[in-house]
Amino acid sequence: AAIKVYEASNKQTYYDYIYAYVDEMIDSTGTIKTYKLSNQNLDMIKSGDVLLYLYSKTKEERFLTAIETLNSQMETQPKTSDGGYWHKKIYPNQMWLDGLYMAEPFHTKYALDFVENKDNAQKIFDDVVLQFDLIQKHSRDEKSGLLFHGWDESKEQRWANKETGNSQHFWSRGMGWYGMAMVDVLDFLPENHPGRVRIINYLNQFAEAITAVQHETGLWYQVLDQGNREGNYLEATGTSMFTYAFAKGVRKGYLDKKYLAVAEKGYKGLLDNLISIEDNGVVNLNKCCGVAGLGGNPYRDGSFEYYVNEIIRSNDPKGTGPFIMASLELNR
């Protein structure tokens, strides 16, 4: 989000902010603080997007070293039997919607910019597209068109349906991660790659399903299809992500122009209901789900009660980032 603000404004302050973040996290040898390759955690790949950007500007060797480290994780990430990346090593046999946004834009751009051998680059592009193919195959609910948050190939997790392996609910931000993953990966996937057509098709199915569960305010519920249940609430991070994905999808020509109205309605919903401005001018984005996952310790069972009772806070970065990106898309 900060990169997009810098590019739109050309203000040095924003560039300095971006640089300071990476400068703090990567030492002179290119080692990433707090990162452990052995964790095989897809969430850790996302910050690599910033490295790809800064390396193109600075050519600092330590940034390239860190980029190669993150790519080496992608090369060794454990997979399901049909080739889907495990979300983390501690979550064996599981694909989560979150992982597509965390890893695939980085991996696609890495292949485009850093892999000179065409066959090797093609392998990465194929692998990226496969992740979308598999999540559609395993996690999409035929009836609603929505995708379940997680899929456990082993069907051993307490949260997993014993027949399908799916978790039991459609989580707003999970679907948001997925929508942003599609529109962002398409920035880097070559025009002639056969997978492009499929991803654009998935995006259109996604847009139709998400629009069907939009609330009259323009917002979306934390548990997308359970708006009538007590405890459910209209949530900011998912709404911001859908708004961004629709606005960008229309601008890029992947989605019908009618979805721009859906994005604008979503944005108005955020401004009218979830934004507050303090006396000192600080803008707050309220009703952000702080975190949600599956399994782990303490165990997260993926129930309706679980999703609606996770911490709610203002200005969670997983909301403010997409809100900024949605603002810039609609401002175009």
Side-chain angles (χ1 to χ4, degrees):
I3 288 166
K4 288 170 191 280
V5 174
Y6 170 63
E7 289 179 336
S9 66
N10 214 23
K11 284 187 182 163
Q12 187 64 29
T13 320
Y14 296 119
Y15 182 84
D16 294 345
Y17 172 83
I18 298 158
Y19 187 87
Y21 163 58
V22 177
D23 192 41
E24 169 72 22
M25 293 304 294
I26 293 169
D27 72 15
S28 58
T29 68
T31 302
I32 308 168
K33 289 180 194 175
T34 76
Y35 174 78
K36 268 181 81 174
L37 177 62
S38 59
N39 288 346
Q40 300 289 160
N41 178 349
L42 289 186
D43 288 342
M44 297 293 121
I45 300 294
K46 189 69 208 165
S47 300
D49 295 1
V50 186
L51 288 171
L52 294 171
Y53 176 78
L54 277 185
Y55 180 70
S56 72
K57 295 257 186 254
T58 66
K59 298 295 185 229
E60 284 189 44
E61 202 59 36
R62 61 181 177 140
F63 297 163
L64 181 60
T65 303
I67 287 167
E68 297 294 358
T69 299
L70 293 177
N71 184 65
S72 74
Q73 180 187 321
M74 297 309 301
E75 299 303 318
T76 56
Q77 190 74 7
K79 293 177 174 181
T80 61
S81 63
D82 52 6
Y85 293 124
W86 292 6
H87 190 60
K88 302 179 186 179
K89 191 166 150 190
I90 58 165
Y91 301 135
N93 310 302
Q94 298 166 40
M95 289 186 78
W96 295 13
L97 288 173
D98 318 33
L100 287 115
Y101 184 68
M102 300 306 157
E104 303 318 322
F106 170 87
H107 208 196
T108 317
K109 186 153 174 48
Y110 176 85
L112 192 67
D113 291 353
F114 292 91
V115 181
E116 286 173 12
N117 181 300
K118 282 211 165 82
D119 290 343
N120 292 346
Q122 187 68 28
K123 277 196 191 104
I124 293 177
F125 295 139
D126 293 348
D127 200 47
V128 167
V129 171
L130 178 64
Q131 306 310 307
F132 290 92
D133 291 339
L134 292 175
I135 209 83
Q136 286 283 131
K137 175 184 170 185
H138 296 303
S139 297
R140 185 169 182 266
D141 173 55
E142 286 304 319
K143 194 171 156 207
S144 65
L146 300 169
L147 280 79
F148 294 102
H149 183 187
W151 172 67
D152 171 20
E153 181 178 32
S154 71
K155 302 173 187 167
E156 287 171 1
Q157 288 297 317
R158 295 208 310 265
W159 54 256
N161 180 299
K162 292 300 165 247
E163 287 176 21
T164 64
N166 286 123
S167 58
Q168 52 193 306
H169 285 294
F170 309 117
W171 176 40
S172 180
R173 186 159 73 234
M175 283 290 286
W177 290 135
Y178 184 52
M180 295 202 300
M182 288 187 281
V183 294
D184 286 3
V185 156
L186 287 166
D187 284 345
F188 314 121
L189 194 64
E191 291 287 340
N192 61 355
H193 194 286
R196 270 188 83 85
V197 178
R198 293 207 299 283
I199 292 178
I200 291 168
N201 185 41
Y202 301 153
L203 179 63
N204 277 271
Q205 292 177 350
F206 165 95
E208 188 179 347
I210 289 296
T211 301
V213 291
Q214 187 177 29
H215 186 256
E216 62 194 25
T217 55
L219 303 169
W220 279 270
Y221 278 101
Q222 163 75 340
V223 180
L224 285 167
D225 64 335
Q226 306 274 313
N228 55 354
R229 284 182 71 173
E230 193 177 339
N232 208 355
Y233 61 96
L234 294 163
E235 197 273 334
T237 71
T239 297
S240 298
M241 290 175 179
F242 300 142
T243 302
Y244 166 73
F246 285 161
K248 182 171 178 179
V250 171
R251 175 173 67 83
K252 291 280 203 166
Y254 311 137
L255 292 174
D256 188 280
K257 287 192 170 55
K258 69 182 177 185
Y259 289 112
L260 186 58
V262 180
E264 285 169 341
K265 185 179 176 183
Y267 195 70
K268 186 175 189 303
L270 288 165
L271 296 186
D272 291 350
N273 301 283
L274 299 185
I275 294 285
S276 59
I277 301 176
E278 295 178 28
D279 292 342
N280 63 1
V282 169
V283 177
N284 298 306
L285 179 68
N286 304 309
K287 291 275 183 185
C288 296
C289 165
V291 66
L294 296 161
N297 184 21
Y299 198 85
R300 300 167 295 181
D301 67 0
S303 63
F304 174 82
E305 290 69 26
Y306 164 70
Y307 283 109
V308 300
N309 286 304
E310 270 288 18
I311 189 168
I312 300 169
R313 54 188 172 218
S314 298
N315 303 329
D316 186 287
K318 297 180 291 294
T320 52
F323 177 78
I324 290 167
M325 298 196 304
S327 301
L328 290 168
E329 277 297 333
L330 288 169
N331 202 43
R332 287 170 185 264

